[in-house]
Amino acid sequence: MRAVIQRVSEACVKVDGRVTGSIGKGLLILVGIEDADTQEDIDWLTKKIVGLRIFDDENGVMNLSVMDIGGSILAVSQFTLMASTKKGNRPSYIRASKGDFAQPMYEKFCLALEQESGKKTEKGIFGADMKVSLLNDGPVTIIMDTKNKE
């Protein structure tokens, strides 16, 4: 699994002009899934995300997690995170899982975020043409890949 985690002041996802998920201060997570992903990847990634200390404390130091600040989480599936740009100029999405595997994994990921954070995870709609808007705070953007665990 690959995730792009953005610290936001606000974020929103719309499908056909209708808001499907919206948050104030918190984390916008774009997540890509491949066939090699397992529940172990979900568990590792959700624990890391919820505990990520990327919010400022009273001294302006990034020392607080989304839980510490009472923030919210918006998770959006994004198969293009699995793109390979090794050859040519047209990305290959061969590593991205098809919907029959990726959708249940995305739902499990969102559920794991809820269980880890104790709060509802706002979501996009899997496979839909989504319009995501955000106000990146900082900007702070972190990329995680469960296969590298960096």
Side-chain angles (χ1 to χ4, degrees):
M1 292 182 102
R2 285 186 182 160
V4 174
I5 300 106
Q6 297 178 301
R7 183 178 81 178
V8 298
S9 297
E10 59 187 52
C12 174
V13 61
K14 293 181 181 179
V15 175
D16 296 326
R18 183 179 64 85
V19 174
T20 63
S22 179
I23 62 169
K25 189 171 186 162
L27 299 174
L28 168 63
I29 304 164
L30 306 174
V31 61
I33 298 163
E34 64 181 314
D35 289 345
D37 291 331
T38 66
Q39 185 65 46
E40 184 179 317
D41 293 295
I42 291 171
D43 295 343
W44 181 85
L45 190 57
T46 56
K47 281 182 177 47
K48 290 295 276 189
I49 289 170
V50 171
L52 212 70
R53 295 174 14 189
I54 59 173
F55 291 90
D56 293 346
D57 64 15
E58 64 279 356
N59 298 315
V61 176
M62 284 194 278
N63 203 27
L64 302 175
S65 71
V66 68
M67 298 305 303
D68 295 329
I69 65 147
S72 300
I73 298 174
L74 171 59
V76 177
S77 62
Q78 188 172 346
F79 77 93
T80 59
L81 288 180
M82 303 312 294
S84 172
T85 57
K86 187 175 182 178
K87 291 171 53 179
N89 292 319
R90 183 172 181 223
S92 168
Y93 303 107
I94 195 94
R95 285 185 56 200
S97 291
K98 303 288 185 248
D100 59 339
F101 178 79
Q103 186 169 9
M105 288 295 283
Y106 167 69
E107 296 298 335
K108 288 177 185 178
F109 173 73
C110 292
L111 182 60
L113 282 170
E114 288 182 355
Q115 291 171 338
E116 194 68 31
S117 70
K119 295 178 78 172
K120 181 180 186 292
T121 296
E122 294 289 315
K123 301 188 286 186
I125 296 179
F126 184 90
D129 180 21
M130 295 177 275
K131 306 302 181 203
V132 180
S133 61
L134 67 136
L135 183 56
N136 194 319
D137 181 15
V140 174
T141 302
I142 308 289
I143 300 171
M144 295 179 142
D145 189 321
T146 61
K147 301 308 183 249
N148 294 330
K149 292 193 169 71
E150 293 182 337

